C-alpha cells in the first residue's frame, strides 16, 4: 500500500473536521493538495475565478452552518488575494481554515519568484498563522489551526510549501481528537447576582441586541417581558431579534430607524446583549451600562461599563431571569413603542408615492417588492453600501430567513461571493444576492462560477451607475461628488452571454414579473434593475458633526427613506399596549 503524502493527510484531516468543500484557484504549489482532493470522494474542490471570492464563500458557509469551512490560494499572489475575504470572515467570527501554499521550502528567504511570507501576512486577520517547514510538523500544526478557528470563532491560516505537501507523511504521527463545536459559557453566580441587583434598582431598562443573541430569541423575549424593557438592535442583530418581538423599537447606528436611539438614551440601565456595536457616538454616556458577551475581549472596548458579564446571551439570561423581580410598570416601554411608531410614520411614505410610475425606479420600491416575493426561508447576501440600507429597512426577518453581509469589515463586492458559499450548502434553498453595480462589477468574473456549477443564485442588481454610499458621504461632508460615477453595460446581456437567465428592468411595472421569473428559473439568474441614483434625501440641516462625516446627528437623519413593513409591525405592537 502506497504511503500517504502530507497533502493527502492534510485533506483527510479537513474531512474529519467536517469540511466538505475547499474553495480556491489552482496553482503549481497547490497541485499536490488539489490532486489529493480529486481522489477523495468526501470533499470537493470548488474552482472560483478569484481567490477573494474563495475566502468570502468560505466565510459565508461558516456563518450559515456554524461549522468549519476552508479556502486555499497558491503561492505568492494567489494566497494574497485571500486576504480581504479572510479579514471579513475573521471580523464576522466565522470559523475558516485557509491554506496558503508556499514556494519551494529550499528557496524561502531568497526573494524567489512569487515569494511572500504568508505566515506573517495573515497574522492580523487570524487567530493562528503558521508555516509548515517540515513534514514532522504534520498533523499537529493543522490540527492546532483547526482548534483555533473553531474554538475562537475566526480564521486560522496554514502555510504549506508545495514540495513538502508532496512528501510522504511522517510515520506514527500523533492525531488527536478534533473539537468541532464550541461549548456554552455561563457567568458565575456572583456576576448574575450583581446584574440582577442593578436591574431591580433600575426603573427603566433597555436591551440592545447584536448577533450574539442568535439562538436566544425566546430568552430575550421572556426577559424583556419580565423587566418591561424596549428592545433595540444593531444591524447584525436584526435577523435574530426583530421578528415576533412586541418590544421592538428599531435599530440604532448609521442605518438606524425608529426609537432605538431614544430608548438607549432615556433609560436608567442599558444592557448590551451580544453586540460589539462599534459606533460609540450612538451610545449614551450618562446611564449605567452592562455588557454581556461570550468574547471577553469585547467587554468594555466601546464604552465605559458599570458591569461586564462574560457569557453567552442565552445561558446568561437563563440564569438571570429567575433572579430578577418582575416589574409591573410599563410606562417607559409603552412610551418608547409609541415613539417608535411615530418615527416610522414620518418616513414610511417617503418613497411610496407614485412608485409604480417613477423612473428611474426607486430602490426602496425594489427592496420592498423583493421582500414580498422572496421565499420565507431565503438567504440574502448584501453588498456593502446602499444595499445595506435597503436590507436593513426592507427585509422582513421571520426566524427562518438569513441575512449576511460584510457588516463588520465593510468590504465592497461581498454579496456575490457569499451567495456562492451559501448556495453550495443547499441548492434547494433560495439564495438572493442583493448586489450594487459597483460591488458586482468588482468581482463580476465569479458570476461565471454560478454558471459553471449551475448554482441557482438569483442576483438582484441595484444599478444606479454610481457608488451611492460614497457619494452620500461626500455630500454630507460638504464635498462635491467626484469619482463616483460608473459607466455600466447592460448587465443582463452579459448574464445571457454567460449562459444564465438575464433580464433588465427599467420600468416599475416590469419589476414584480421579472423577479418572479428569475425565482422560477432553475439555474442562475440576474435581474439588472435601473434605479434612481438620487434616492436618498439630504437632512434639512447640515450640522458641524455632519461635516466631519457620519457622526451622531448625521446618522439619525441622513438615511430618511421608507421602512418597509416595519411600520406595520410597530402598529401591531402598539395594539398590545394594555388599555386602562
Amino acid at each position: 500500500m502506497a504511503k500517504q503524502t502530507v497533502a493527502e493527510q492534510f485533506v483527510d484531516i479537513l474531512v474529519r473536521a467536517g469540511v466538505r468543500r475547499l474553495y480556491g484557484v489552482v496553482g503549481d504549489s497547490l497541485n499536490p493538495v488539489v490532486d489529493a482532493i480529486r481522489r477523495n470522494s468526501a470533499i470537493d474542490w470548488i474552482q472560483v475565478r478569484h481567490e477573494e471570492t474563495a475566502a468570502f464563500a468560505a466565510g459565508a458557509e461558516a456563518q450559515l452552518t456554524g461549522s468549519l469551512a476552508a479556502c486555499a490560494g497558491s503561492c505568492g499572489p494567489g494566497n494574497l488575494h485571500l486576504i480581504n475575504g479572510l479579514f471579513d470572515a475573521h471580523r464576522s467570527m466565522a470559523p475558516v481554515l485557509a491554506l496558503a501554499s508556499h514556494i519551494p521550502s529550499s528557496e524561502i528567504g531568497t526573494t524567489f519568484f512569487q515569494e511572500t511570507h504568508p505566515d506573517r501576512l495573515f497574522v492580523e486577520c487570524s487567530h493562528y498563522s503558521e508555516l509548515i517547514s517540515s513534514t514532522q510538523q504534520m498533523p499537529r500544526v493543522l490540527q492546532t489551526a483547526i482548534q483555533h478557528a473553531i474554538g475562537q470563532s475566526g480564521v486560522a491560516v496554514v502555510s504549506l510549501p508545495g514540495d513538502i505537501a508532496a512528501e510522504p507523511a511522517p510515520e506514527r504521527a500523533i492525531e488527536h481528537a478534533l473539537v468541532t463545536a464550541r461549548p456554552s459559557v455561563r457567568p458565575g453566580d456572583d456576576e448574575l447576582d450583581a446584574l440582577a441587583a442593578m436591574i431591580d434598582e433600575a426603573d427603566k431598562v433597555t436591551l440592545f441586541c447584536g448577533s450574539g443573541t442568535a439562538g436566544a430569541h425566546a430568552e430575550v423575549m421572556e426577559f424583556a417581558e419580565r423587566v418591561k424593557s424596549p428592545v433595540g438592535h444593531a444591524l447584525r442583530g436584526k435577523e435574530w431579534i426583530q421578528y415576533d418581538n412586541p418590544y421592538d423599537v428599531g435599530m440604532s447606528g448609521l442605518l438606524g430607524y425608529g426609537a432605538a436611539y431614544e430608548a438607549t438614551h432615556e433609560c436608567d440601565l442599558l444592557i448590551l446583549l451580544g453586540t460589539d456595536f462599534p459606533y460609540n457616538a450612538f451610545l449614551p454616556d450618562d446611564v449605567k451600562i452592562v455588557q454581556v458577551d461570550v468574547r471577553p475581549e469585547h467587554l468594555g472596548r466601546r464604552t465605559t461599563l458599570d458591569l461586564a458579564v462574560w457569557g453567552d446571551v442565552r445561558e446568561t439570561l437563563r440564569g438571570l431571569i429567575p433572579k430578577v423581580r418582575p416589574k409591573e410598570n410599563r410606562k417607559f416601554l409603552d412610551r418608547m413603542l409609541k415613539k417608535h411608531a411615530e418615527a416610522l410614520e414620518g418616513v414610511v411614505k417617503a418613497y411610496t408615492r407614485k412608485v409604480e410610475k417613477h423612473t428611474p425606479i426607486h430602490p426602496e420600491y425594489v427592496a420592498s417588492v423583493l421582500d414580498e416575493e422572496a421565499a420565507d426561508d431565503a438567504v440574502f447576501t448584501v453588498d456593502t453600501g446602499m444595499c445595506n440600507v435597503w436590507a436593513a429597512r426592507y427585509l422582513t426577518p421571520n426566524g427562518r430567513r438569513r441575512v449576511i453581509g460584510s457588516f463588520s469589515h465593510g468590504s465592497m463586492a461581498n454579496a456575490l461571493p457569499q451567495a456562492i458559499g451559501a448556495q453550495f450548502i443547499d441548492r434547494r434553498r433560495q439564495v438572493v444576492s442583493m448586489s450594487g453595480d459597483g460591488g458586482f462589477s468588482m468581482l463580476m468574473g465569479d458570476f461565471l462560477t454560478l454558471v459553471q456549477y449551475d448554482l441557482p443564485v438569483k442576483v438582484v442588481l441595484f444599478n444606479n451607475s454610481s457608488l451611492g454610499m460614497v457619494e452620500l458621504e461626500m455630500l454630507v461632508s460638504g464635498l462635491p461628488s467626484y469619482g463616483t460615477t460608473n459607466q455600466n453595460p447592460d448587465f443582463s446581456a452579459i448574464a445571457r452571454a454567460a449562459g444564465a437567465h438575464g433580464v433588465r428592468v427599467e420600468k416599475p411595472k416590469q419589476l414584480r414579473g421579472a423577479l418572479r421569473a428569475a425565482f422560477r428559473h432553475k439555474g442562475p439568474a440576474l435581474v439588472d434593475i435601473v434605479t434612481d441614483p438620487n434616492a436618498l434625501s439630504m437632512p434639512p440641516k447640515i450640522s458641524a458633526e455632519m461635516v466631519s462625516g457620519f457622526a451622531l446627528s448625521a446618522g439619525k437623519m441622513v438615511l430618511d427613506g421608507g421602512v418597509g413593513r416595519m411600520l406595520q409591525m410597530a402598529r401591531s405592537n402598539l395594539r398590545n399596549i394594555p388599555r386602562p
Side-chain angles (χ1 to χ4, degrees):
M1 183 176 178
K3 188 173 178 61
Q4 191 179 47
T5 66
V6 167
E8 290 169 334
Q9 185 183 54
F10 193 102
V11 171
D12 283 348
I13 292 172
L14 288 185
V15 170
R16 192 152 59 87
V19 175
R20 296 295 173 259
R21 283 161 290 275
L22 189 62
Y23 301 89
V25 179
V26 296
D28 56 355
S29 57
L30 265 179
N31 287 346
V33 174
V34 175
D35 188 63
I37 291 173
R38 178 183 64 82
R39 292 179 281 107
N40 191 321
S41 61
I43 188 171
D44 292 320
W45 173 260
I46 305 301
Q47 177 186 350
V48 297
R49 304 305 174 100
H50 196 295
E51 289 90 350
E52 184 175 350
T53 295
F56 271 123
E61 181 178 323
Q63 288 182 67
L64 290 168
T65 65
S67 300
L68 185 70
C71 58
S74 59
C75 63
N79 62 57
L80 274 176
H81 284 158
L82 294 171
I83 196 163
N84 191 51
L86 292 182
F87 258 103
D88 182 78
H90 195 56
R91 299 189 70 181
S92 299
M93 297 188 296
V96 170
L97 188 284
L99 168 59
S101 68
H102 208 346
I103 64 172
S105 57
S106 61
E107 303 297 334
I108 295 174
T110 67
T111 318
F112 190 71
F113 175 65
Q114 293 189 323
E115 181 175 7
T116 60
H117 291 87
D119 53 314
R120 305 177 197 171
L121 284 166
F122 294 103
V123 166
E124 191 175 348
C125 64
S126 68
H127 292 301
Y128 183 88
S129 180
E130 291 294 343
L131 169 67
I132 294 178
S133 57
S134 165
T135 61
Q136 299 301 313
Q137 293 174 269
M138 278 289 289
R140 287 181 298 162
V141 167
L142 176 57
Q143 291 174 320
T144 302
I146 290 171
Q147 306 293 59
H148 275 79
I150 295 171
Q152 297 186 36
S153 295
V155 170
V157 182
V158 173
S159 301
L160 177 63
D163 60 309
I164 291 179
E167 291 184 11
E171 294 183 5
R172 296 183 298 277
I174 299 174
E175 294 190 32
H176 57 72
L178 289 170
V179 174
T180 56
R182 287 172 55 86
S184 297
V185 179
R186 181 189 183 278
D189 288 334
D190 288 346
E191 287 79 12
L192 291 176
D193 289 341
L195 178 52
M198 293 178 69
I199 294 168
D200 288 343
E201 291 173 4
D203 291 327
K204 299 175 290 185
V205 179
T206 292
L207 308 182
F208 186 68
C209 303
S211 61
T213 57
H217 184 276
E219 287 79 8
V220 173
M221 296 303 105
E222 181 182 357
F223 182 61
E225 169 57 31
R226 193 171 186 88
V227 300
K228 304 300 184 289
S229 169
V231 178
H233 59 266
L235 178 56
R236 291 189 65 198
K238 175 184 172 74
E239 63 177 324
W240 304 114
I241 216 67
Q242 190 186 34
Y243 70 95
D244 296 338
N245 181 356
Y247 317 100
D248 176 51
V249 291
M251 189 170 81
S252 191
L254 301 181
L255 311 184
Y257 56 82
Y261 178 85
E262 287 79 1
T264 57
H265 282 72
E266 297 181 25
C267 60
D268 301 321
L269 176 64
L270 173 61
I271 304 178
L272 307 174
L273 293 176
T275 179
D276 191 34
F277 184 70
Y279 306 110
N280 54 14
F282 289 85
L283 294 173
D285 55 12
D286 57 352
V287 303
K288 290 184 178 179
I289 300 179
V290 173
Q291 185 177 1
V292 178
D293 207 292
V294 72
R295 300 282 288 265
E297 67 271 23
H298 289 182
L299 295 170
R301 72 176 179 180
R302 306 302 185 195
T303 188
T304 301
L305 301 180
D306 294 275
L307 180 66
V309 180
W310 181 10
D312 8 291
V313 172
R314 183 170 64 177
E315 293 303 316
T316 299
L317 292 182
R318 284 179 174 178
L320 178 65
I321 289 171
K323 295 176 177 287
V324 174
R325 292 196 303 268
K327 295 185 184 296
E328 302 298 330
N329 187 341
R330 52 177 293 150
K331 288 183 179 180
F332 177 62
L333 169 60
D334 293 344
R335 182 163 61 86
M336 290 300 110
L337 291 175
K338 290 177 181 177
K339 276 195 172 186
H340 180 57
E342 290 168 359
L344 299 188
E345 289 276 6
V347 298
V348 73
K349 296 178 181 178
Y351 294 107
T352 56
R353 296 187 184 94
K354 301 180 180 179
V355 290
E356 295 185 357
K357 296 182 180 179
H358 182 89
T359 56
I361 304 169
H362 281 312
E364 296 86 347
Y365 178 64
V366 177
S368 179
V369 174
L370 173 61
D371 181 56
E372 294 170 2
E373 295 295 333
D376 288 342
D377 66 344
V379 177
F380 298 90
T381 60
V382 183
D383 258 343
T384 297
M386 297 315 306
C387 285
N388 269 201
V389 181
W390 316 139
R393 299 242 171 152
Y394 285 90
L395 295 184
T396 305
N398 58 12
R400 299 170 62 200
R401 286 177 164 179
R402 293 299 311 274
V403 181
I404 61 174
S406 187
F407 298 142
S408 296
H409 186 49
S411 173
M412 284 182 65
N414 62 284
L416 174 62
Q418 288 178 328
I420 291 171
Q423 194 72 84
F424 266 115
I425 299 170
D426 185 353
R427 288 176 174 269
R428 297 168 298 178
R429 189 173 185 181
Q430 187 182 88
V431 176
V432 180
S433 173
M434 292 179 63
S435 298
D437 58 286
F440 178 76
S441 58
M442 184 177 284
L443 285 176
M444 186 168 57
D446 269 294
F447 188 80
L448 301 177
T449 302
L450 302 184
V451 177
Q452 180 166 331
Y453 289 96
D454 196 28
L455 290 174
V457 169
K458 313 307 178 189
V459 178
V460 178
L461 185 58
F462 290 73
N463 182 1
N464 64 0
S465 297
S466 72
L467 302 178
M469 182 63 79
V470 179
E471 187 169 282
L472 180 63
E473 291 167 348
M474 289 180 173
L475 294 174
V476 168
S477 298
L479 301 173
S481 59
Y482 182 75
T484 59
T485 301
N486 295 328
Q487 183 174 334
N488 288 331
D490 181 342
F491 289 108
S492 67
I494 293 176
R496 292 192 297 272
H501 174 88
V503 62
R504 186 172 173 92
V505 176
E506 298 180 344
K507 297 181 180 179
K509 64 181 181 181
Q510 302 169 333
L511 176 62
R512 196 177 297 271
L515 290 176
R516 288 179 178 178
F519 290 152
R520 287 194 302 266
H521 183 69
K522 299 298 183 182
L526 183 145
V527 183
D528 180 8
I529 306 167
V530 180
T531 60
D532 188 350
N534 301 310
L536 289 182
S537 65
M538 291 297 293
K541 180 181 179 182
I542 302 293
S543 67
E545 291 86 353
M546 291 167 64
V547 172
S548 65
F550 273 113
L552 174 61
S553 58
K556 289 178 65 179
M557 303 172 65
V558 72
L559 300 171
D560 184 18
V563 287
R565 284 185 260 178
M566 284 180 278
L567 176 60
Q568 181 180 348
M569 296 165 59
R571 287 171 174 165
S572 176
N573 289 343
L574 281 180
R575 289 195 290 270
N576 294 327
I577 295 177
R579 303 301 178 189

